[in-house]
């Protein structure tokens, strides 16, 4: 039996700084992990990228590959996008695939790859009507969105606690979705 492949994607919200521990946890849960980051998240983690590549055994990606070049990652069995910022959630729901991570998860819907996401947004952002529409749109397309009672709860601006981000919920959902 082959090891299931988890595409672990993160956007630029403070909990992304803990991604090394999340990778290790996912590996302990039986996944081969490929890490993808939005460009800003990759810039934030630039000093750690070599270590993250060593940890996963795969290149960390934040950009689309060149046309005609082979993919450097195995095919995904499940995708987890967390933390997902306000921009990432809205771009994805609207089909705006300017970033590699958003492009892969948007295409993943059509490929029927089980996908889970957990936002990381503050209470001011969620007042924008587009956010709730985007969450509803992603859910209607089959994406499991961990937001609200059973997922991420927004905090007041500037009062977040990145160390309390419930990463375990994302990984538990990925395991559950893979096992079907």
């Amino acid at each position: 039996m082959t090891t299931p492949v988890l595409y672990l994607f993160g956007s630029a919200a403070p909990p992304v700084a803990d991604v090394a521990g999340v990778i290790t946890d996912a590996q302990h849960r039986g996944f081969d992990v490929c890490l993808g980051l939005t460009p800003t998240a990759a810039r934030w983690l630039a000093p750690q990228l070599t270590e993250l590549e060593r940890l996963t055994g795969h290149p960390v990606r934040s950009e689309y590959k060149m046309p005609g070049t082979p993919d450097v990652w195995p095919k995904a069995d499940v995708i987890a996008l967390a933390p997902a910022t306000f921009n990432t959630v809205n771009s994805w729901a609207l089909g705006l695939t300017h970033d590699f991570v958003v492009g892969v998860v948007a295409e993943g819907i059509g490929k029927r790859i089980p996908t889970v996401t957990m936002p990381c947004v503050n209470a001011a952002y969620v007042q924008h009507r587009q956010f709730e529409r985007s969450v509803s749109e992603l859910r209607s397309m089959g994406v499991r969105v961990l937001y609200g009672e059973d997922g991420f709860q927004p905090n007041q601006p500037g009062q977040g606690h990145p160390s309390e981000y419930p990463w375990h919920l994302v990984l538990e959902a990925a395991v559950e979705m893979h096992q079907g």
Side-chain angles (χ1 to χ4, degrees):
M1 179 176 226
T2 62
T3 303
V5 176
L6 170 67
Y7 284 8
L8 178 61
F9 291 156
S11 50
V16 79
D18 296 326
V19 77
V22 178
I23 291 167
T24 300
D25 190 359
Q27 290 169 331
H28 286 134
R29 293 171 190 255
F31 286 111
D32 178 11
V33 180
C34 296
L35 178 63
L37 301 166
T38 62
T40 303
R43 191 171 64 248
W44 287 8
L45 297 180
Q48 301 172 44
L49 293 180
T50 300
E51 177 58 23
L52 293 169
E53 288 183 354
R54 187 202 61 73
L55 185 60
T56 64
H58 302 284
V60 174
R61 294 187 58 195
S62 60
E63 296 180 359
Y64 287 105
K65 66 181 184 68
M66 294 298 293
T69 59
D71 203 331
V72 295
W73 285 356
K75 294 200 180 307
D77 293 299
V78 64
I79 300 172
L81 171 49
T85 61
F86 177 81
N87 185 57
T88 297
V89 169
N90 290 324
S91 294
W92 182 10
L94 294 169
L96 305 175
T97 60
H98 53 278
D99 288 345
F100 163 74
V101 164
V102 177
V104 174
V105 293
E107 187 177 35
I109 291 169
K111 290 181 171 181
R112 307 225 185 286
I113 300 169
T115 302
V116 59
T117 188
M118 188 163 56
C120 184
V121 294
N122 68 40
Y125 276 123
V126 302
Q127 297 305 307
H128 193 291
R129 293 184 312 192
Q130 184 58 49
F131 185 76
E132 285 295 334
R133 287 192 294 256
S134 293
V135 168
S136 293
E137 184 67 17
L138 291 172
R139 285 177 172 155
S140 74
M141 290 186 280
V143 176
R144 186 162 173 189
V145 182
L146 303 174
Y147 172 71
E149 278 186 36
D150 298 325
F152 180 78
Q153 303 275 336
N155 51 272
Q156 291 303 310
Q159 295 181 17
H161 300 281
S163 64
E164 295 175 10
Y165 188 73
W167 282 107
H168 66 282
L169 297 176
V170 175
L171 295 179
E172 288 166 6
V175 168
E176 181 182 304
M177 294 174 85
H178 176 259
Q179 293 174 346

